[in-house]
Coordinates of all heavy atoms in Angstrom, one line a residue:
M5 N 6.2 2.9 18.4 CA 5.5 2.6 17.1 C 4.5 3.8 16.8 O 3.9 4.3 17.7 CB 4.7 1.3 17.2 CG 5.5 0.1 17.5 SD 6.6 -0.4 16.2 CE 5.5 -1.4 15.2
V6 N 4.5 4.1 15.5 CA 3.6 5.2 15.1 C 2.9 4.7 13.8 O 3.3 3.7 13.2 CB 4.3 6.5 14.8 CG1 5.0 7.0 16.0 CG2 5.4 6.3 13.7
I7 N 1.9 5.4 13.4 CA 1.2 5.1 12.1 C 1.6 6.2 11.1 O 1.4 7.4 11.4 CB -0.3 5.0 12.2 CG1 -0.6 3.8 13.1 CG2 -0.9 4.9 10.8 CD1 -2.1 3.7 13.5
W8 N 2.2 5.8 10.0 CA 2.5 6.8 8.9 C 1.7 6.6 7.7 O 1.2 5.4 7.4 CB 4.0 6.6 8.5 CG 5.0 7.2 9.4 CD1 4.8 7.9 10.5 CD2 6.4 7.2 9.2 NE1 6.0 8.3 11.1 CE2 7.0 7.9 10.3 CE3 7.3 6.6 8.3 CZ2 8.4 8.0 10.5 CZ3 8.6 6.7 8.5 CH2 9.2 7.4 9.5
K9 N 1.5 7.6 6.9 CA 0.7 7.6 5.7 C 1.6 7.8 4.5 O 2.5 8.6 4.6 CB -0.4 8.7 5.7 CG -1.2 8.7 4.4 CD -2.1 9.9 4.4 CE -1.3 11.1 4.0 NZ -2.1 12.3 3.8
F10 N 1.4 7.0 3.4 CA 2.1 7.2 2.2 C 1.1 7.3 1.0 O 0.1 6.6 1.0 CB 3.0 6.0 1.9 CG 4.1 5.9 2.9 CD1 4.0 5.1 4.1 CD2 5.4 6.5 2.7 CE1 5.0 4.9 5.0 CE2 6.4 6.3 3.6 CZ 6.2 5.6 4.8
N11 N 1.4 8.2 0.1 CA 0.5 8.3 -1.1 C 1.0 7.3 -2.1 O 2.2 7.1 -2.2 CB 0.6 9.7 -1.7 CG -0.1 10.8 -0.8 OD1 -1.0 10.5 0.0 ND2 0.4 12.0 -0.8
L12 N 0.0 6.8 -2.9 CA 0.4 5.9 -4.0 C -0.1 6.4 -5.3 O -1.1 7.2 -5.4 CB -0.3 4.5 -3.8 CG 0.0 3.7 -2.6 CD1 -0.8 2.4 -2.5 CD2 1.5 3.4 -2.5
D13 N 0.5 6.0 -6.4 CA 0.0 6.2 -7.7 C -0.5 4.9 -8.3 O -0.2 3.8 -7.7 CB 1.2 6.7 -8.6 CG 1.7 8.1 -8.2 OD1 0.8 9.0 -8.0 OD2 2.9 8.3 -8.2
V14 N -1.3 4.9 -9.3 CA -1.7 3.7 -10.0 C -0.5 3.0 -10.6 O 0.4 3.7 -11.1 CB -2.7 4.0 -11.1 CG1 -3.1 2.8 -11.9 CG2 -4.0 4.6 -10.5
G15 N -0.4 1.7 -10.4 CA 0.7 0.9 -10.9 C 1.7 0.6 -9.8 O 1.3 0.4 -8.7
V16 N 3.0 0.5 -10.1 CA 4.0 0.1 -9.2 C 4.5 1.3 -8.4 O 4.8 2.3 -9.1 CB 5.1 -0.7 -9.9 CG1 6.2 -1.1 -8.9 CG2 4.6 -1.8 -10.7
N17 N 4.7 1.2 -7.1 CA 5.2 2.2 -6.3 C 6.4 1.7 -5.4 O 6.2 0.6 -4.8 CB 4.2 2.8 -5.3 CG 3.0 3.4 -6.1 OD1 2.9 4.6 -6.2 ND2 2.1 2.6 -6.5
A18 N 7.5 2.3 -5.5 CA 8.6 1.9 -4.6 C 8.7 2.9 -3.5 O 9.1 4.1 -3.7 CB 9.9 1.8 -5.4
L19 N 8.4 2.5 -2.3 CA 8.4 3.5 -1.1 C 9.5 3.1 -0.1 O 9.8 1.9 0.1 CB 7.0 3.4 -0.4 CG 5.8 3.7 -1.2 CD1 4.6 3.6 -0.4 CD2 5.9 5.1 -1.9
M20 N 10.1 4.1 0.5 CA 11.0 3.9 1.6 C 10.2 3.9 2.9 O 9.7 4.9 3.3 CB 12.1 5.0 1.6 CG 12.9 5.0 0.4 SD 13.9 3.5 0.1 CE 15.0 3.6 1.5
V21 N 10.2 2.7 3.5 CA 9.4 2.5 4.8 C 10.4 2.0 5.8 O 11.4 1.3 5.5 CB 8.2 1.6 4.6 CG1 7.2 2.2 3.6 CG2 8.6 0.2 4.2
P22 N 10.1 2.2 7.1 CA 10.9 1.6 8.1 C 10.9 0.1 8.0 O 9.8 -0.5 7.8 CB 10.3 2.1 9.4 CG 9.7 3.4 9.0 CD 9.1 3.1 7.7
K23 N 12.0 -0.6 8.2 CA 12.1 -2.0 8.2 C 11.1 -2.6 9.3 O 11.0 -2.1 10.4 CB 13.5 -2.5 8.6 CG 13.7 -4.0 8.4 CD 15.1 -4.4 8.7 CE 15.3 -5.9 8.5 NZ 16.7 -6.3 8.7
G24 N 10.4 -3.6 8.9 CA 9.4 -4.2 9.8 C 8.0 -3.6 9.8 O 7.1 -4.0 10.5
A25 N 7.8 -2.5 9.0 CA 6.5 -1.8 8.9 C 5.4 -2.8 8.5 O 5.7 -3.6 7.6 CB 6.6 -0.6 8.0
V26 N 4.3 -2.6 9.0 CA 3.1 -3.5 8.7 C 2.1 -2.5 8.1 O 1.6 -1.6 8.7 CB 2.5 -4.2 9.9 CG1 1.3 -4.9 9.6 CG2 3.6 -5.1 10.6
T27 N 1.6 -2.9 6.9 CA 0.6 -2.1 6.2 C -0.7 -2.4 6.8 O -1.1 -3.5 6.9 CB 0.6 -2.3 4.7 OG1 1.9 -2.1 4.2 CG2 -0.4 -1.4 4.0
L28 N -1.4 -1.3 7.3 CA -2.7 -1.5 7.9 C -3.9 -1.5 7.0 O -4.8 -2.2 7.1 CB -2.9 -0.4 9.0 CG -1.8 -0.4 10.1 CD1 -2.0 0.8 11.0 CD2 -1.8 -1.7 10.9
S29 N -3.9 -0.5 6.1 CA -5.0 -0.3 5.2 C -4.7 0.6 4.0 O -3.6 1.2 4.0 CB -6.2 0.3 6.0 OG -5.9 1.6 6.4
A30 N -5.6 0.6 3.1 CA -5.5 1.5 1.9 C -6.9 2.1 1.8 O -7.9 1.5 2.0 CB -5.2 0.7 0.6
D31 N -6.8 3.4 1.4 CA -8.1 4.2 1.2 C -7.7 5.5 0.5 O -6.6 5.6 0.1 CB -8.7 4.5 2.5 CG -10.3 4.6 2.4 OD1 -10.7 4.9 1.3 OD2 -10.9 4.4 3.4
T32 N -8.7 6.4 0.4 CA -8.4 7.7 -0.2 C -8.5 8.7 0.9 O -9.2 8.5 1.9 CB -9.4 8.1 -1.3 OG1 -10.7 8.0 -0.8 CG2 -9.2 7.1 -2.5
Q33 N -7.7 9.8 0.8 CA -7.8 10.9 1.6 C -7.7 12.2 0.7 O -6.7 12.3 0.0 CB -6.7 10.9 2.7 CG -6.9 12.1 3.7 CD -5.8 12.0 4.8 OE1 -4.7 11.7 4.6 NE2 -6.3 12.3 6.0
Q34 N -8.7 13.0 0.8 CA -8.7 14.2 -0.1 C -8.5 13.8 -1.5 O -7.7 14.5 -2.3 CB -7.7 15.2 0.4 CG -8.1 15.7 1.8 CD -7.1 16.7 2.4 OE1 -6.0 16.8 1.9 NE2 -7.5 17.4 3.4
G35 N -9.1 12.7 -2.0 CA -9.0 12.3 -3.4 C -7.7 11.6 -3.8 O -7.6 11.3 -5.0
K36 N -6.8 11.4 -2.9 CA -5.5 10.7 -3.2 C -5.5 9.3 -2.6 O -6.0 9.1 -1.5 CB -4.4 11.5 -2.7 CG -4.3 12.9 -3.3 CD -2.9 13.5 -3.1 CE -2.8 14.9 -3.6 NZ -2.8 15.1 -5.0
L37 N -5.0 8.4 -3.4 CA -4.8 7.0 -2.9 C -3.7 6.9 -1.9 O -2.6 7.5 -2.1 CB -4.5 6.1 -4.1 CG -4.3 4.6 -3.8 CD1 -5.5 4.0 -3.2 CD2 -3.9 3.9 -5.0
C38 N -4.0 6.3 -0.7 CA -3.0 6.3 0.4 C -2.9 4.9 1.0 O -3.9 4.1 0.9 CB -3.4 7.2 1.5 SG -3.6 8.9 1.0
V39 N -1.8 4.6 1.7 CA -1.7 3.4 2.6 C -1.2 3.9 3.9 O -0.5 4.9 4.0 CB -0.8 2.3 2.0 CG1 -1.3 1.6 0.8 CG2 0.6 2.8 1.8
W40 N -1.6 3.2 5.0 CA -1.2 3.6 6.3 C -0.4 2.4 6.8 O -0.8 1.2 6.7 CB -2.4 3.9 7.2 CG -3.0 5.2 6.9 CD1 -2.7 6.4 7.6 CD2 -3.9 5.6 5.9 NE1 -3.4 7.4 7.0 CE2 -4.2 6.9 6.0 CE3 -4.6 4.8 4.9 CZ2 -5.1 7.6 5.2 CZ3 -5.5 5.5 4.1 CH2 -5.7 6.8 4.2
V41 N 0.7 2.7 7.4 CA 1.6 1.6 8.0 C 1.9 1.8 9.4 O 2.1 3.0 9.9 CB 2.9 1.4 7.2 CG1 2.6 1.2 5.7 CG2 3.8 2.7 7.3
L42 N 2.0 0.8 10.2 CA 2.4 0.8 11.6 C 3.9 0.5 11.6 O 4.3 -0.5 11.0 CB 1.7 -0.3 12.4 CG 2.0 -0.4 13.9 CD1 1.6 0.9 14.6 CD2 1.3 -1.6 14.5
C43 N 4.7 1.4 12.2 CA 6.1 1.3 12.0 C 6.9 1.9 13.2 O 6.3 2.7 14.0 CB 6.6 2.0 10.7 SG 6.3 3.7 10.7
D44 N 8.1 1.5 13.3 CA 9.1 2.1 14.2 C 9.8 3.2 13.4 O 10.6 2.8 12.6 CB 10.0 1.0 14.7 CG 11.1 1.6 15.6 OD1 11.2 2.8 15.8 OD2 12.0 0.8 16.1
P45 N 9.6 4.5 13.7 CA 10.3 5.5 12.9 C 11.8 5.5 13.0 O 12.5 6.1 12.2 CB 9.7 6.8 13.4 CG 9.1 6.5 14.8 CD 8.8 5.0 14.7
Q46 N 12.3 4.8 14.0 CA 13.8 4.8 14.2 C 14.4 3.6 13.4 O 15.7 3.6 13.3 CB 14.1 4.7 15.7 CG 13.5 5.8 16.6 CD 14.0 7.2 16.1 OE1 15.1 7.4 15.8 NE2 13.0 8.1 16.0
A47 N 13.6 2.7 12.9 CA 14.2 1.6 12.2 C 14.8 2.1 10.9 O 14.3 3.1 10.3 CB 13.1 0.6 11.9
P48 N 15.8 1.3 10.4 CA 16.4 1.7 9.1 C 15.3 1.6 8.0 O 14.4 0.8 8.0 CB 17.5 0.7 8.9 CG 17.3 -0.4 9.9 CD 16.4 0.2 11.0
K49 N 15.4 2.5 7.0 CA 14.5 2.5 5.9 C 14.9 1.4 4.8 O 16.0 1.2 4.6 CB 14.4 3.8 5.2 CG 14.1 5.0 6.2 CD 12.8 4.9 6.9 CE 12.5 6.0 7.8 NZ 13.2 6.1 9.1
V50 N 13.8 0.8 4.3 CA 14.0 -0.2 3.2 C 13.0 0.1 2.1 O 12.0 0.8 2.4 CB 13.8 -1.6 3.7 CG1 14.8 -2.0 4.8 CG2 12.4 -1.8 4.3
T51 N 13.3 -0.3 0.9 CA 12.4 -0.1 -0.2 C 11.4 -1.2 -0.2 O 11.7 -2.4 -0.2 CB 13.2 -0.1 -1.5 OG1 14.2 1.0 -1.5 CG2 12.2 0.2 -2.7
R52 N 10.1 -0.8 -0.3 CA 9.0 -1.8 -0.4 C 8.2 -1.4 -1.6 O 7.8 -0.3 -1.8 CB 8.2 -1.8 0.9 CG 7.0 -2.8 0.8 CD 6.2 -2.9 2.0 NE 7.0 -3.4 3.1 CZ 6.7 -3.3 4.4 NH1 5.6 -2.7 4.8 NH2 7.5 -3.9 5.3
A53 N 7.8 -2.5 -2.4 CA 6.9 -2.3 -3.5 C 5.5 -2.4 -3.1 O 5.1 -3.3 -2.4 CB 7.2 -3.3 -4.6
Y54 N 4.7 -1.4 -3.6 CA 3.3 -1.4 -3.5 C 2.7 -1.4 -4.9 O 3.3 -0.7 -5.8 CB 2.8 -0.2 -2.7 CG 3.0 -0.3 -1.2 CD1 4.2 0.1 -0.7 CD2 2.0 -0.8 -0.4 CE1 4.4 0.0 0.7 CE2 2.2 -0.9 1.0 CZ 3.4 -0.5 1.5 OH 3.7 -0.6 2.9
Y55 N 1.6 -2.1 -5.1 CA 0.9 -2.1 -6.4 C -0.5 -1.7 -6.2 O -1.2 -2.2 -5.4 CB 1.0 -3.6 -6.9 CG 2.3 -4.2 -6.9 CD1 2.8 -4.8 -5.8 CD2 3.1 -4.1 -8.0 CE1 4.1 -5.4 -5.8 CE2 4.4 -4.7 -8.1 CZ 4.9 -5.3 -6.9 OH 6.2 -5.8 -6.9
A56 N -0.9 -0.7 -7.1 CA -2.3 -0.3 -7.1 C -2.8 -0.6 -8.5 O -2.4 0.1 -9.5 CB -2.4 1.2 -6.8
E57 N -3.6 -1.6 -8.7 CA -4.0 -2.1 -10.0 C -5.5 -2.0 -10.2 O -6.2 -2.2 -9.3 CB -3.5 -3.6 -10.1 CG -2.0 -3.8 -9.8 CD -1.1 -3.3 -10.9 OE1 -1.6 -2.8 -11.9 OE2 0.1 -3.5 -10.8
M58 N -5.8 -1.7 -11.4 CA -7.2 -1.6 -11.8 C -7.8 -3.0 -12.0 O -7.1 -4.0 -12.3 CB -7.4 -0.9 -13.2 CG -6.7 0.5 -13.2 SD -7.7 1.7 -12.3 CE -9.0 2.1 -13.5
T59 N -9.1 -3.1 -11.8 CA -9.9 -4.3 -12.0 C -9.6 -4.7 -13.5 O -9.6 -3.9 -14.4 CB -11.4 -4.1 -11.8 OG1 -11.6 -3.8 -10.5 CG2 -12.1 -5.4 -12.1
G60 N -9.3 -6.1 -13.7 CA -9.1 -6.6 -15.0 C -7.6 -6.6 -15.4 O -7.2 -7.1 -16.5
F61 N -6.7 -6.2 -14.4 CA -5.3 -6.2 -14.7 C -4.7 -7.6 -14.8 O -5.3 -8.5 -14.2 CB -4.5 -5.4 -13.7 CG -4.3 -6.0 -12.4 CD1 -3.1 -6.6 -12.0 CD2 -5.3 -6.1 -11.5 CE1 -2.9 -7.2 -10.8 CE2 -5.2 -6.7 -10.2 CZ -3.9 -7.3 -9.9
E62 N -3.6 -7.8 -15.4 CA -2.8 -9.0 -15.4 C -2.1 -9.2 -14.1 O -1.3 -8.3 -13.7 CB -1.8 -9.1 -16.6 CG -2.4 -9.1 -17.9 CD -3.2 -10.4 -18.2 OE1 -2.8 -11.4 -17.7 OE2 -4.2 -10.3 -18.9
A63 N -2.5 -10.2 -13.3 CA -2.1 -10.2 -11.9 C -0.7 -10.9 -11.6 O -0.4 -11.1 -10.5 CB -3.2 -11.0 -11.1
E64 N 0.0 -11.3 -12.6 CA 1.2 -12.0 -12.4 C 2.2 -11.3 -11.5 O 2.9 -11.9 -10.6 CB 2.0 -12.3 -13.7 CG 1.3 -13.4 -14.5 CD 0.1 -12.9 -15.3 OE1 0.0 -11.7 -15.5 OE2 -0.8 -13.7 -15.7
R65 N 2.3 -9.9 -11.6 CA 3.3 -9.2 -10.8 C 2.9 -9.1 -9.4 O 3.8 -8.7 -8.5 CB 3.6 -7.9 -11.4 CG 2.6 -6.8 -11.4 CD 3.1 -5.5 -12.0 NE 2.1 -4.5 -12.1 CZ 2.3 -3.4 -12.9 NH1 3.4 -3.3 -13.4 NH2 1.3 -2.6 -13.0
V66 N 1.7 -9.4 -9.0 CA 1.3 -9.3 -7.6 C 1.3 -10.7 -6.9 O 1.0 -10.8 -5.8 CB 0.0 -8.6 -7.3 CG1 0.1 -7.1 -7.8 CG2 -1.1 -9.3 -8.0
A67 N 1.7 -11.7 -7.7 CA 1.7 -13.1 -7.1 C 2.7 -13.1 -6.0 O 3.8 -12.6 -6.1 CB 2.1 -14.1 -8.2
G68 N 2.2 -13.7 -4.8 CA 3.1 -13.7 -3.7 C 3.1 -12.5 -2.8 O 3.8 -12.4 -1.8
T69 N 2.4 -11.5 -3.2 CA 2.3 -10.3 -2.4 C 1.1 -10.3 -1.4 O 0.3 -11.2 -1.6 CB 2.2 -9.0 -3.2 OG1 1.0 -9.0 -4.0 CG2 3.4 -8.9 -4.2
R70 N 1.0 -9.4 -0.5 CA -0.1 -9.3 0.4 C -1.2 -8.4 -0.1 O -0.9 -7.2 -0.4 CB 0.4 -8.9 1.8 CG -0.6 -8.8 2.8 CD 0.0 -8.5 4.2 NE -1.1 -8.1 5.0 CZ -1.2 -6.9 5.7 NH1 -0.2 -6.1 5.7 NH2 -2.3 -6.6 6.4
F71 N -2.4 -8.9 -0.2 CA -3.5 -8.0 -0.5 C -3.8 -7.1 0.6 O -4.0 -7.5 1.8 CB -4.7 -8.9 -0.9 CG -6.0 -8.1 -1.2 CD1 -6.1 -7.3 -2.3 CD2 -7.0 -8.1 -0.3 CE1 -7.2 -6.5 -2.5 CE2 -8.2 -7.3 -0.5 CZ -8.3 -6.5 -1.6
I72 N -3.9 -5.8 0.4 CA -4.2 -4.8 1.4 C -5.7 -4.4 1.4 O -6.3 -4.3 2.4 CB -3.3 -3.5 1.3 CG1 -1.8 -4.0 1.3 CG2 -3.6 -2.5 2.4 CD1 -1.4 -4.7 2.5
G73 N -6.2 -4.1 0.2 CA -7.6 -3.7 0.1 C -8.0 -3.2 -1.2 O -7.2 -3.0 -2.1
T74 N -9.3 -3.0 -1.4 CA -9.8 -2.4 -2.6 C -10.3 -1.0 -2.3 O -11.0 -0.8 -1.3 CB -11.0 -3.3 -3.1 OG1 -10.5 -4.6 -3.5 CG2 -11.7 -2.7 -4.3
V75 N -10.0 -0.1 -3.2 CA -10.3 1.3 -3.0 C -11.1 1.9 -4.2 O -10.7 1.6 -5.4 CB -9.0 2.1 -2.8 CG1 -9.3 3.6 -2.6 CG2 -8.2 1.6 -1.6
L76 N -12.1 2.6 -4.0 CA -12.9 3.3 -5.0 C -12.4 4.7 -5.2 O -12.4 5.4 -4.2 CB -14.4 3.2 -4.7 CG -15.0 1.8 -4.4 CD1 -16.5 2.0 -4.1 CD2 -14.8 0.9 -5.6
L77 N -12.2 5.1 -6.4 CA -11.8 6.5 -6.7 C -12.9 7.1 -7.5 O -13.6 6.5 -8.3 CB -10.5 6.5 -7.5 CG -9.2 6.0 -6.8 CD1 -8.0 6.0 -7.7 CD2 -8.9 6.8 -5.5
E78 N -12.9 8.5 -7.4 CA -13.9 9.3 -8.2 C -15.3 8.7 -8.2 O -15.9 8.4 -9.2 CB -13.4 9.4 -9.7 CG -11.9 9.8 -9.7 CD -11.6 10.8 -10.8 OE1 -12.6 11.2 -11.5 OE2 -10.5 11.2 -10.9
E79 N -15.8 8.6 -6.9 CA -17.1 8.1 -6.6 C -17.4 6.7 -7.3 O -18.5 6.5 -7.7 CB -18.1 9.2 -7.1 CG -18.0 10.5 -6.3 CD -19.0 11.5 -6.8 OE1 -19.9 11.2 -7.5 OE2 -18.7 12.7 -6.4
G80 N -16.4 5.9 -7.3 CA -16.6 4.5 -7.8 C -16.3 4.3 -9.2 O -16.5 3.2 -9.8
A81 N -16.0 5.4 -9.9 CA -15.7 5.3 -11.4 C -14.5 4.4 -11.6 O -14.4 3.7 -12.7 CB -15.5 6.7 -12.0
F82 N -13.5 4.4 -10.7 CA -12.3 3.6 -10.8 C -12.2 2.7 -9.6 O -12.3 3.2 -8.5 CB -11.1 4.5 -11.0 CG -11.1 5.3 -12.2 CD1 -11.5 6.7 -12.1 CD2 -10.8 4.8 -13.5 CE1 -11.6 7.5 -13.2 CE2 -10.9 5.6 -14.6 CZ -11.2 6.9 -14.5
V83 N -11.9 1.4 -9.8 CA -11.7 0.5 -8.7 C -10.2 0.0 -8.7 O -9.8 -0.5 -9.7 CB -12.6 -0.7 -8.8 CG1 -12.4 -1.7 -7.6 CG2 -14.1 -0.2 -8.8
L84 N -9.5 0.3 -7.6 CA -8.1 -0.1 -7.5 C -8.0 -1.2 -6.4 O -8.6 -1.1 -5.4 CB -7.2 1.1 -7.1 CG -7.1 2.1 -8.2 CD1 -6.4 3.3 -7.7 CD2 -6.4 1.6 -9.4
H85 N -7.1 -2.1 -6.7 CA -6.8 -3.2 -5.7 C -5.3 -3.0 -5.3 O -4.4 -2.9 -6.2 CB -7.0 -4.6 -6.3 CG -8.3 -4.6 -7.0 ND1 -9.5 -4.9 -6.3 CD2 -8.7 -4.5 -8.3 CE1 -10.5 -4.8 -7.1 NE2 -10.1 -4.6 -8.3
V86 N -5.1 -2.9 -4.0 CA -3.7 -2.5 -3.5 C -3.1 -3.7 -2.9 O -3.7 -4.5 -2.1 CB -3.8 -1.4 -2.5 CG1 -2.5 -1.0 -1.9 CG2 -4.5 -0.1 -3.1
F87 N -1.8 -4.0 -3.2 CA -1.0 -5.1 -2.7 C 0.3 -4.5 -2.2 O 0.8 -3.5 -2.7 CB -0.7 -6.1 -3.9 CG -2.0 -6.7 -4.5 CD1 -2.7 -6.0 -5.5 CD2 -2.4 -7.9 -4.1 CE1 -3.8 -6.6 -6.0 CE2 -3.5 -8.5 -4.7 CZ -4.2 -7.8 -5.6
A88 N 0.9 -5.2 -1.3 CA 2.2 -4.8 -0.8 C 3.2 -6.0 -0.8 O 2.7 -7.2 -0.5 CB 2.1 -4.3 0.7
D89 N 4.4 -5.8 -1.1 CA 5.4 -6.8 -1.1 C 6.0 -6.9 0.3 O 7.1 -6.4 0.6 CB 6.5 -6.5 -2.1 CG 7.4 -7.7 -2.4 OD1 7.1 -8.8 -1.9 OD2 8.5 -7.5 -3.1
E90 N 5.2 -7.5 1.2 CA 5.6 -7.6 2.6 C 5.0 -9.0 3.1 O 4.0 -9.5 2.6 CB 5.0 -6.5 3.4 CG 3.5 -6.5 3.6 CD 3.0 -5.3 4.5 OE1 3.3 -4.2 4.1 OE2 2.4 -5.6 5.5
P91 N 5.6 -9.5 4.2 CA 5.1 -10.7 4.8 C 3.8 -10.5 5.4 O 3.5 -9.4 5.8 CB 6.2 -11.1 5.7 CG 7.0 -9.9 6.0 CD 6.8 -9.0 4.8
M92 N 3.1 -11.6 5.6 CA 1.8 -11.5 6.4 C 2.1 -11.2 7.8 O 3.1 -11.7 8.4 CB 1.0 -12.8 6.3 CG 0.6 -13.1 4.9 SD -0.7 -12.0 4.3 CE -2.0 -12.3 5.3
P93 N 1.4 -10.3 8.5 CA 1.6 -10.0 9.9 C 1.3 -11.2 10.7 O 0.4 -12.0 10.4 CB 0.7 -8.9 10.2 CG -0.3 -8.9 9.2 CD 0.3 -9.5 7.9
R94 N 2.0 -11.3 11.8 CA 1.8 -12.4 12.8 C 0.5 -12.2 13.6 O 0.2 -11.0 13.9 CB 2.9 -12.6 13.8 CG 4.2 -13.1 13.1 CD 5.3 -13.3 14.0 NE 5.8 -12.0 14.2 CZ 6.9 -11.7 14.9 NH1 7.5 -12.6 15.5 NH2 7.4 -10.5 15.0
A95 N -0.2 -13.2 13.9 CA -1.5 -13.0 14.6 C -1.2 -12.8 16.1 O -0.2 -13.1 16.6 CB -2.3 -14.3 14.5

């Protein structure tokens, strides 16, 4: 298992991630919005949707997704809420 980083854009993102990957967190790195996932790099890749939405957005498209975190951009001028279309990790 390794931790991989993926960059996100505001809105809907379709990323190719290893099957079974678990999203650990969302934050910024060098001014770019990112998510980090724990994954098996040898697993087959699958498409997973990530959503980076501004405060006040219509939330219907994230219904049933997993909330990853809230991220502040540009010194708090923009607030994004990140969701992933993945199951909740087992405890």
